[in-house]
Amino acid sequence: MQTGGRGTEGNATPALLKGDQELEIMAGKPKLYYFDGRGKMESIRWLLAAAGVEFEEEFLETREQYEKLLQDGDLLFQQVPMVEIDGMKMVQTRAILHYIAAKHNLYGKDLKERALIDMYVEGTTDLMGLILLYPFLSPEDKKKQLATFVEKATKRYFPVYEKVCISNLLVQVDKTRVMGYFAV
């Protein structure tokens, strides 16, 4: 079992905490079940780390560990990743991400922002789909797939992310200028 992320410091008791912090201590650390690799669990790890949530991991190293989860009825669609959080055993990466993001106020301030976030996430999912099968391809197919990936990544996906990063940076700069103006 591995521990990752960041958590609350010290020995705070639930009575001293408010909101999500109290719920997290009462429910315990989220526990992640996946193979010892990045794959579909990696975005969940990143989001938990961004939210400052400490978590535990149980790597499925044997077929028996996976079969036990199946026999216990924990894997709704007979696949991982699975995350135990707030008394639930959640599967399906996107559902897990939505839950964590909403719980920690990382899923936009309104419906419009959530739609934009979803579009960027879906684009990333499409791009990752090109990468995930790469290790399983024949050497000849790897050359073709790599060329396809590089072309799509550089011409279709990266320009979109670059544009949103630059526009968000400019918004932050403008906010700083406005705040600086009113502070003077």
Side-chain angles (χ1 to χ4, degrees):
M1 185 180 324
Q2 299 286 324
T3 302
R6 302 180 314 241
T8 54
E9 300 294 325
N11 294 326
T13 62
L16 300 175
L17 301 173
K18 294 186 169 119
D20 289 343
Q21 287 179 325
E22 182 176 346
L23 178 61
E24 190 172 311
I25 286 187
M26 290 172 30
K29 295 178 194 173
K31 189 171 182 179
L32 287 52
Y33 295 82
Y34 200 65
F35 308 104
D36 189 3
R38 292 186 174 130
K40 292 189 172 204
M41 185 62 85
E42 193 67 3
S43 57
I44 296 166
R45 292 183 189 107
W46 290 347
L47 186 57
L48 287 167
V53 175
E54 189 174 323
F55 57 88
E56 296 177 0
E57 293 194 74
E58 183 164 321
F59 296 123
L60 304 179
E61 297 171 345
T62 66
R63 180 87 181 153
E64 290 76 28
Q65 288 174 291
Y66 172 73
E67 287 175 357
K68 180 167 180 5
L69 292 174
L70 286 173
Q71 290 168 359
D72 292 346
D74 294 338
L75 302 179
L76 187 63
F77 296 103
Q78 302 176 7
Q79 60 193 23
V80 290
M82 182 181 79
V83 175
E84 282 187 66
I85 186 169
D86 298 337
M88 297 182 292
K89 292 183 178 180
M90 295 189 71
V91 296
Q92 298 299 76
T93 305
R94 195 162 305 127
I96 296 166
L97 291 170
H98 282 174
Y99 181 82
I100 293 167
K103 177 179 177 175
H104 296 284
N105 298 316
L106 298 172
Y107 193 35
K109 69 179 183 289
D110 57 28
L111 188 59
K112 192 173 188 177
E113 274 192 10
R114 287 190 294 274
L116 288 170
I117 290 167
D118 286 343
M119 286 191 301
Y120 298 127
V121 168
E122 289 295 322
T124 304
T125 301
D126 291 347
L127 183 60
M128 290 303 296
L130 298 172
I131 298 170
L132 286 176
L133 296 177
Y134 185 79
F136 305 103
L137 298 174
S138 68
E140 312 82 60
D141 288 340
K142 281 185 178 182
K143 286 182 183 179
K144 285 194 297 187
Q145 186 65 20
L146 182 59
T148 300
F149 169 73
V150 169
E151 182 171 338
K152 284 186 178 180
T154 57
K155 292 184 178 178
R156 183 184 298 179
Y157 295 97
F158 293 169
V160 172
Y161 298 123
E162 182 178 24
K163 183 178 176 182
V164 74
C165 287
I166 289 171
S167 68
N168 281 332
L169 178 63
L170 293 176
V171 167
Q172 293 303 318
V173 169
D174 285 347
K175 283 182 184 177
T176 303
R177 283 190 199 139
V178 170
M179 294 306 288
Y181 175 78
F182 286 111
V184 173

